[in-house]
Amino acid sequence: REYNAMMRSYVVGLAREAGFRDPEGVAEQLLVLTTGATARAKMGAGAEAAMVAKRAAEAVMAAASKA
């Protein structure tokens, strides 16, 4: 839990610095992607999971409004 809270705080900070209107929302979406990619990698998806997550993260950030 402590690690998850630290990661959330870090990603929210990055999203805030990047100028997203809803940094908490962007961070939550990105964290869900990283958690899912990690789980898929552990199930054998390997690097493909990371590449899919990267493309999804790019889509999240492209769709998010900036302040």
Side-chain angles (χ1 to χ4, degrees), residues 45-53 55:
E48 181 62 25
M51 294 307 295
V52 170
R55 288 191 301 271

Side-chain angles (χ1 to χ4, degrees), residues 2-27:
E2 188 175 319
Y3 174 79
N4 289 339
M6 181 198 66
M7 282 302 296
R8 185 178 191 290
S9 176
Y10 176 70
V11 177
V12 167
L14 291 175
R16 189 171 284 121
E17 286 178 24
F20 290 107
R21 190 173 307 239
D22 180 14
E24 291 84 6
V26 170

Side-chain angles (χ1 to χ4, degrees), residues 25-45:
V26 170
E28 189 62 32
Q29 291 178 67
L30 295 176
L31 289 169
V32 167
L33 289 173
T34 59
T35 302
T38 301
R40 292 283 297 135
K42 288 180 180 180
M43 292 188 287

